[in-house]
Amino acid sequence: MNLVNDTLELQEHVNVSHNFDFDLVKPFIKRAERKYIIPNISQKEYDRLLSDAITDADILKIKTLLTEASSNLAFHLGFTQLVVHVTNYGTVQTDLENTNAVDWATRRDLQRTYVQAGFEALDDALKAMELYLDKFPDWRDSEAFTIFDENFNKRTDEFQRHFNISNSRKTFIALKPIIREVEEQYFLPMLGKETMDLIKRRSVIPVLMRALELAQKAEVALTIAKSVDSGAFIMTGSSAIYRWEQLPWEKSSEYSDERLEKLREAKQNAGEEYLKKLKTLLQENPEIFPNYISNVSNTSGNILKLKSGLAL
């Protein structure tokens, strides 16, 4: 059993004829849910959503969004194969006498539509799940969600506040390895683990709130600076969008190499400036950050710009 199980359910989200053979797309539905849905919501939460016993309106709405995502992403994955049939006599392609195959431009736009519609629905579902977090305990306690608890920016909206990623949780997830690298390279040597943990607790003390804000801004800026060279993101204006799937007609970036370098340099400089402000704040409040003061007493106390990053 999957989120989409027959032609009627499929027709709610994808334009197919009433006599469409559901068995043609079924393998791609399984693959789409295995590849995109389950890793993002956890296997336990996926199994729960398949139950017919769900009556909660909010959960049913999210299930509908995930079903929409599954339907569109299945057609994206199977786009080139749905008209191909493997028989005992070889591989053939459907070609009806009174119909014309769509041209390449239409195929391009159609496949892009499947990709965009599928991931927009997935993002909307994940955003709603964050809003109703208590209704999804299996997801909340799974690796699909808890891997973000270790960072200064724990949620999509927190990262979005400082740089436009189109409110995409999938983009946020894709940035996760870079965020982890940034904390290891810049924050851990500068702050020490104890001070990092203190700031991440999200205290209502004004000084700690300001420290978290500066840490979040620095983390976002330095993450974007590192992501520029990864090739995994499309840079448009002031936004970064994760490349869901490599499509032949799309480029890795809409920025020229020169503009990408300017973006990288600007974000690197911005991140370093936020780190300096954070350092000053910590030094001015030794009673709140005793572990930081103890840590810098054994060093020069200055931020040094090194090729590998910043250090005390």
Side-chain angles (χ1 to χ4, degrees), residues 254-272:
E254 296 190 6
Y255 264 19
S256 65
D257 291 343
E258 182 180 357
R259 293 189 70 187
L260 282 174
E261 177 56 26
K262 287 182 178 180
L263 174 63
R264 188 204 63 75
E265 184 177 357
K267 290 304 173 183
Q268 183 71 29
N269 291 336
E272 292 176 5

Side-chain angles (χ1 to χ4, degrees), residues 6-19:
D6 55 50
T7 302
L8 288 178
E9 291 181 349
L10 189 65
Q11 285 178 318
E12 293 181 13
H13 309 290
V14 179
N15 184 21
V16 296
S17 63
H18 70 279
N19 60 347

